[in-house]
Amino acid sequence: MTTGLHPGGPPQDPRHAGNEQLPRQERVGPVAPHVENRTRSSVITARAAATFEPVGRAVATARSFVRDTLQGWGFADIVDDAVVLTSELVTNAVVHAGTAADVLCLRSDDGVRIEVADRYPEREVPLQSAAVNMGHPDREGGRGLQLCAALAGRWGVEYTPTHKQVWFQLDLPERPVGTRAAGPTLPADLLPLADARVRVAVVQIDRGGSITAWNEDAEELFGYAAEQVTGKPLTDLAAWPHTPGTGTGVAEALQLSRWEGSYGIRGADGRVTPVYASHLRVRDTAGDPSTVCLLVRDHERAVLQTPLRGPAPDASTGQDGQTTDPFEVFIGSPAPDDLDGLLQRTVERARDMLDGDAAFLLLATDDETELEVRASTGLPSARQRFARVPVEAGPGRYGSARMPAVHDDLTAVPGAVPLLSGTGMRSVVTVPLKVEGRLTGSLGVAAEAATRYSNEEALRLQFAADRIALAVESARLGELERLRRGSLSFLVEASDLLAGTLDRDQTLALMAQMTIPTLATWCAVYTIADQASEPYLSYVLHEDEERIDGVKALLSKIAPPEPIPTPGARIWTAPGEAAHQAALRTSMRSLGLGDAPALSSGIGTTLATASAVGGETVVLPLVARNRVIGMLTLGKPTDEHFRQEILELAEDLSRRAALALDNARLYSERTAISQSLQRSLLPPELPHVDGVEVEVIYRAAGEGNEVGGDFYDLFPIRDGAYGFAIGDVCGTGPEAAAVTGLARHALRLLAREGFGGPAVLERLNSAILDEGARSRFLTLLYGELWPQEDGSALLKVVCAGHPLPLRLRPDGSVEPAAEPQPLLGVMEDLDLYEQTVTLDPGDVLLCVTDGVTERREGTRMLGDDGLADVLTTCTGLTAGAVAARIMRAVERFASDAPSDDMAILAMRVPGLPKD
């Protein structure tokens, strides 16, 4: 291709065009002499010429040449017609005539004249007359002249001995003087919708992204006073696009010199207001940059939106004649690298392409039965993000998202497009997104006026959908892969946390904390004690702690969800309805219309709670061991929906949480039973013994103070006599506890029947042996205590295989107070005897189990000698102080927790009080 361009001045022969004006272009080839000598009524102000060889890419290159030339001259209004006509005429020359084509563009004050010449003058063109049939427009050739007659203001054909030339002239549309761009006069019902008072929020952002200015309209639109937001980053309030959690795009947009687009602002009430924004980057006199943001409600975007320029460049070639990617042509470059950004730009471009009032893009679920809203513009926020509609919305072709559809007037077919019900949209065109014949989504553009779209717009939109379908599917699969990896990591961490506790209340707290804010904005857990019990609201959590009490109060006033064991999430509408009613009653009271007086202090809380709970709410059953033990309730704020992947992740979490909660319940029941049994094996309280101080310390080994094998007892036998015992059953756990219970109750029964110490232990030995395989040997120190009138105490003790009791005298000496005898539960015939010990005033008798003497730290053991050494330091202490010092010494002897049960029984004779 050879080209030449001559801006301004009288026409010049292209053959004399110098290369110095366009150094990248070659000299122009020969042009027919008559082209230069023809007189014209208007002054030629610029020209461009090019020659195209008869090759396959010549037609596309010619289209690009004409488009670039006219757009460079500022004639975007006639570019489409000029490109279409040039394409047809160059096709006739290059394809049908088989010669090179010369194209000349001439600019004048009132229009553009384009001349296309070929080198085949013998190929005649029939003269147009009433009797000549130009042929059908769908046949291969002959459309060029028909299009010239239909689109051009003037056209004609000229011959020379070497050339045949077809020319056409396109007149420029009249534009009002002094305007950059103008639209036609429209009927009132076709004008853009706006509120009675259009508010334009003016927000200024400094170089760090923080708000420095916030006008009154911004306060009215979003509910924040200027002092509340000044100094805060705009990204704290912005949702991108219209959705919280993806606000990084706003920060990037603030750094551009100029930017227009849609996002959301989260207001003081927690709701997201979709806005259309126009950003302009400026700098002050000191050179400090900032960004001025003009914001209007999204449905009022016409107030700020810049009129569109000409159509996008040709899909097949760029300005340099090189082949370009059709996807990049539609989406723009660079293309967004994330799915949300790609989808949002797609709906923006689709709406602009068809001059619509709204656009939406839905992605199909894996089973292709439902479509999920993933991006939209111009629609209420309630229809934004993750709302679901069926693929087959009705019978017939136009009720299926699998085929293109054009609806002239939705009021005539209510429900034909469920997503648009109640939005004011009347005409809509929808096309499917398909990859390898499989439905992956649906793209739609809607308008508030009827009969706005026809099959031609459907074909244009389908062409755009075909361009982006593969890219959308690829981005969607990438997002799903990231979600699945994140879900797997989330479930692994959740399983570890849930397995790390067996406390019911902590399990409930963990369950709620893992869902907020990863899966939902608020969460409530209902538990069911048994089949006959009603669900009970056990735990409530909101990502904003100030909302927890309000949400809990609201849920406590409505009936809990029905405990249905069917797996999967189901919609629960009761919270949203209750929230709506509560907000309505509060508003009426604030206006003095209700029965109750207005309570202004509670209005904000009630409305905020209603906004927090008024969105979509789902219930998942907590099923463990084929029984519903509760429900996990997840909620979103007003106008937000759950996406399918989140619900699937929540279902996986609910199964793990249900099993953890049931395990915690079983463990709690087991612990309660164990503790109850432990308490039954030990005396409820120690009796008061006149003239003797008694103190007992008991520590059972194992978490939760499980039942141990050590026991003690002190009980009255008869008037003035008391029995005491301290023993240790071999082993721990329920088997040892069984022998413990047998021993304690047998001792009391036999002692009160009048048997002496040896007789009591011999009968107890027989009872233990009668247990057979369940029997266990037992070490036992049993004694009887008689306080004396002189202040001393008389003891008769039998030490059956137990650590010997130690006697501490006031002078600090320590000595055993009994002799060792055979333990119980081993031999049938025992020859036991009792020993008499007198405790004088100031004496202490210390009885312990082997958990005290066998306390170990590595190879060291406390032992009998170590215990005696500690006891020598207890001179002059009360019985309670002696027992406490012994226990403290035992605990400090080793750093590890005790591995054996321990019991300490200390008795001290203080003596008679002095007169």
Side-chain angles (χ1 to χ4, degrees):
M1 179 189 76
T2 57
T3 61
L5 181 64
H6 308 275
Q12 300 181 21
D13 192 334
R15 290 172 294 182
H16 302 295
N19 290 335
E20 63 278 359
Q21 295 185 10
L22 294 174
R24 295 181 60 187
Q25 297 173 345
E26 302 176 6
R27 294 185 68 252
V28 181
V31 180
H34 68 277
V35 174
E36 303 301 327
N37 299 330
R38 186 184 306 110
T39 60
R40 298 177 178 86
S41 59
S42 58
V43 177
I44 302 300
T45 59
R47 70 168 60 199
T51 299
F52 304 93
E53 299 300 326
V55 293
R57 64 176 181 275
V59 177
T61 307
R63 289 198 300 266
S64 180
F65 164 71
V66 172
R67 183 185 300 279
D68 293 342
T69 299
L70 298 191
Q71 286 185 339
W73 289 346
F75 294 159
D77 296 329
I78 60 175
V79 164
D80 285 342
D81 291 345
V83 168
V84 169
L85 295 177
T86 302
S87 179
E88 292 294 334
L89 297 180
V90 172
T91 299
N92 290 338
V94 173
V95 177
H96 301 300
T99 71
D102 299 325
V103 179
L104 176 65
C105 300
L106 303 174
R107 183 182 72 184
S108 62
D109 296 334
D110 56 355
V112 172
R113 177 183 174 114
I114 298 178
E115 301 173 353
V116 180
D118 62 41
R119 313 290 175 80
Y120 189 15
E122 293 82 2
R123 183 180 176 88
E124 295 185 357
V125 178
L127 297 177
Q128 185 177 12
S129 65
V132 177
N133 183 6
M134 299 298 291
H136 194 276
D138 291 336
R139 68 189 181 90
E140 180 65 22
R143 291 179 298 187
L145 299 183
Q146 286 183 301
L147 290 174
C148 287
L151 301 179
R154 288 174 292 169
W155 67 282
V157 181
E158 298 179 4
Y159 290 93
T160 71
T162 59
H163 289 73
K164 176 180 89 264
Q165 179 174 277
V166 180
W167 61 271
F168 62 88
Q169 181 162 332
L170 298 174
D171 298 328
L172 296 177
E174 295 183 1
R175 296 180 178 176
V177 177
T179 61
R180 176 185 175 190
T185 302
L186 294 176
D189 59 346
L190 296 182
L191 295 176
L193 287 178
D195 293 344
R197 163 77 160 83
V198 177
R199 298 186 180 275
V200 180
V202 181
V203 183
Q204 190 156 2
I205 313 297
D206 62 17
R207 68 163 66 207
S210 299
I211 299 172
T212 59
W214 184 269
N215 71 343
E216 293 181 357
D217 280 358
E219 295 182 7
E220 183 67 26
L221 285 174
F222 310 122
Y224 297 107
E227 57 270 16
Q228 292 179 279
V229 296
T230 301
K232 293 184 177 180
L234 180 63
T235 51
D236 288 356
L237 309 179
W240 178 280
H242 299 181
T243 302
T246 54
T248 56
V250 176
E252 297 170 357
L254 293 174
Q255 301 302 316
L256 301 177
S257 60
R258 182 180 292 275
W259 182 88
E260 283 188 26
S262 297
Y263 50 86
I265 297 292
R266 185 173 293 280
D269 59 357
R271 302 182 62 176
V272 174
T273 300
V275 298
Y276 188 81
S278 177
H279 296 177
L280 178 65
R281 191 77 164 160
V282 298
R283 61 186 175 92
D284 58 19
T285 55
D288 193 25
S290 62
T291 302
V292 178
C293 305
L294 305 181
L295 310 174
V296 297
R297 295 183 180 92
D298 192 62
H299 66 272
E300 298 172 339
R301 63 166 50 207
V303 176
L304 298 180
Q305 190 171 28
T306 302
L308 297 176
R309 299 179 179 178
D314 187 84
S316 60
T317 60
Q319 295 183 355
D320 57 357
Q322 299 296 321
T323 301
T324 58
D325 184 3
F327 166 75
E328 294 290 346
V329 172
F330 179 73
I331 292 297
S333 182
D337 56 359
D338 63 302
L339 180 62
D340 288 334
L342 174 62
L343 299 184
Q344 192 62 27
R345 188 179 293 186
T346 297
V347 295
E348 295 282 351
R349 292 295 174 90
R351 181 168 83 163
D352 294 343
M353 183 178 71
L354 298 188
D355 194 22
D357 296 310
F360 52 88
L361 193 150
L362 304 89
L363 294 183
T365 55
D366 291 339
D367 56 3
E368 297 185 31
T369 59
E370 285 187 314
L371 294 167
E372 190 175 62
V373 178
R374 290 300 303 270
S376 62
T377 180
L379 292 177
S381 58
R383 302 169 196 280
Q384 303 275 341
R385 303 282 290 176
F386 311 125
R388 289 176 291 279
V389 297
V391 170
E392 308 294 341
R397 167 183 173 182
Y398 297 107
S400 174
R402 303 180 188 277
M403 299 291 292
V406 178
H407 292 279
D408 292 333
D409 193 348
L410 291 176
T411 59
V413 282
V417 183
L419 184 65
L420 300 180
S421 299
T423 62
M425 301 298 164
R426 296 187 61 183
S427 56
V428 61
V429 52
T430 61
V431 296
L433 276 70
K434 294 185 177 181
V435 175
E436 297 180 351
R438 182 174 59 86
L439 179 69
T440 62
S442 177
L443 177 63
V445 178
E448 296 172 352
T451 64
R452 280 283 299 277
Y453 302 118
S454 63
N455 288 338
E456 180 180 352
E457 282 79 13
L459 290 175
R460 291 178 62 192
L461 190 61
Q462 184 66 72
F463 184 51
D466 292 341
R467 293 179 177 185
I468 59 117
L470 186 59
V472 169
E473 178 67 3
S474 176
R476 187 179 75 91
L477 292 177
E479 181 192 66
L480 287 177
E481 180 64 22
R482 289 190 297 273
L483 282 174
R484 290 189 177 110
R485 291 183 179 179
S487 299
L488 182 59
S489 176
F490 173 80
L491 291 175
V492 169
E493 182 178 358
S495 299
D496 288 342
L497 290 174
L498 291 171
T501 178
L502 289 172
D503 181 81
R504 176 182 176 276
D505 293 337
Q506 190 173 3
T507 301
L508 288 172
L510 283 174
M511 188 189 314
Q513 291 168 5
M514 285 184 293
T515 61
I516 307 301
T518 305
L519 304 182
T521 304
W522 64 270
C523 163
V525 182
Y526 291 85
T527 56
I528 303 174
D530 52 59
Q531 297 292 343
S533 302
E534 292 293 325
Y536 173 74
L537 182 60
S538 299
Y539 202 91
V540 176
L541 187 65
H542 192 282
E543 65 179 3
D544 184 354
E545 293 182 357
E546 296 180 356
R547 302 280 183 264
I548 295 177
D549 292 339
V551 174
K552 187 174 183 179
L554 181 68
L555 293 178
S556 63
K557 296 177 181 179
I558 62 177
E562 185 178 355
I564 299 176
T566 305
R570 69 180 191 274
I571 302 296
W572 187 29
T573 59
E577 295 171 355
H580 176 74
Q581 293 297 326
L584 181 61
R585 289 193 299 270
T586 301
S587 300
M588 292 180 65
R589 285 197 299 269
S590 68
L591 297 174
L593 301 177
D595 297 334
L599 300 175
S600 59
S601 60
I603 292 176
T605 301
T606 302
L607 294 179
T609 301
S611 176
V613 184
E616 187 174 70
T617 303
V618 297
V619 178
L620 298 102
L622 298 175
V623 181
R625 298 174 176 90
N626 298 322
R627 185 174 72 88
V628 180
I629 63 171
M631 283 88 68
L632 176 63
T633 303
L634 304 177
K636 286 280 190 179
T638 303
D639 301 342
E640 293 191 19
H641 300 269
F642 287 96
R643 62 184 304 173
Q644 189 63 32
E645 293 82 5
I646 295 297
L647 294 179
E648 293 173 358
L649 181 58
E651 186 177 356
D652 287 338
L653 176 64
S654 68
R655 287 194 291 265
R656 290 165 169 78
L659 186 58
L661 185 61
D662 199 45
N663 289 339
R665 177 187 62 83
L666 294 175
Y667 180 77
S668 298
E669 293 177 356
R670 176 178 177 271
T671 301
I673 293 173
S674 174
Q675 292 175 345
S676 177
L677 178 59
Q678 177 73 65
R679 288 190 295 268
S680 70
L681 298 178
L682 299 176
E685 59 184 9
L686 296 177
H688 175 70
V689 179
D690 293 333
V692 179
E693 298 175 358
V694 180
E695 182 65 28
V696 174
I697 296 179
Y698 181 84
R699 295 285 188 272
E703 183 180 356
N705 291 332
E706 295 181 353
V707 177
D710 290 5
F711 70 96
Y712 67 92
D713 202 358
L714 177 65
F715 54 92
I717 299 176
R718 61 186 73 91
D719 293 340
Y722 295 86
F724 66 92
I726 183 169
D728 184 3
V729 179
C730 175
T732 59
E735 294 82 0
V739 179
T740 299
L742 172 64
R744 193 173 77 85
H745 294 293
L747 288 175
R748 288 196 173 207
L749 178 62
L750 294 172
R752 287 171 177 173
E753 288 295 325
F755 293 99
V760 169
L761 269 59
E762 288 170 359
R763 284 165 174 76
L764 175 59
N765 181 63
S766 298
I768 294 175
L769 293 175
D770 289 343
E771 292 293 312
R774 295 181 299 177
S775 66
R776 289 174 175 251
F777 62 82
L778 167 67
T779 67
L780 179 64
L781 172 65
Y782 173 76
E784 296 179 355
L785 169 66
W786 286 272
Q788 302 299 310
E789 295 181 357
D790 61 357
S792 64
L794 180 63
L795 287 78
K796 293 183 178 181
V797 297
V798 179
C799 186
H802 199 77
L804 299 179
L806 298 178
R807 177 179 182 177
L808 171 65
R809 295 184 180 276
D811 60 1
S813 61
V814 175
E815 60 183 11
E819 297 177 354
Q821 300 184 58
L823 52 77
L824 306 181
V826 178
M827 300 178 295
E828 293 184 0
D829 298 327
L830 294 178
D831 186 13
L832 300 176
Y833 57 92
E834 62 183 8
Q835 296 175 273
T836 301
V837 179
T838 300
L839 294 181
D840 298 322
D843 287 354
V844 174
L845 185 70
L846 178 65
C847 310
V848 300
T849 58
D850 61 3
V852 174
T853 57
E854 294 179 1
R855 177 73 163 147
R856 294 179 180 276
E857 173 68 19
T859 59
R860 298 186 308 120
M861 186 171 69
L862 180 62
D864 296 334
D865 294 338
L867 178 63
D869 292 340
V870 176
L871 185 58
T872 58
T873 65
C874 298
T875 304
L877 299 180
T878 64
V882 171
R885 178 168 292 187
I886 297 299
M887 178 56 71
R888 187 161 55 251
V890 172
E891 290 175 343
R892 291 178 177 177
F893 186 79
S895 58
D896 296 337
S899 59
D900 195 5
D901 305 328
M902 292 186 294
I904 300 174
L905 172 62
M907 293 184 290
R908 178 176 179 269
V909 179
L912 294 175
K914 296 181 180 180
D915 295 334

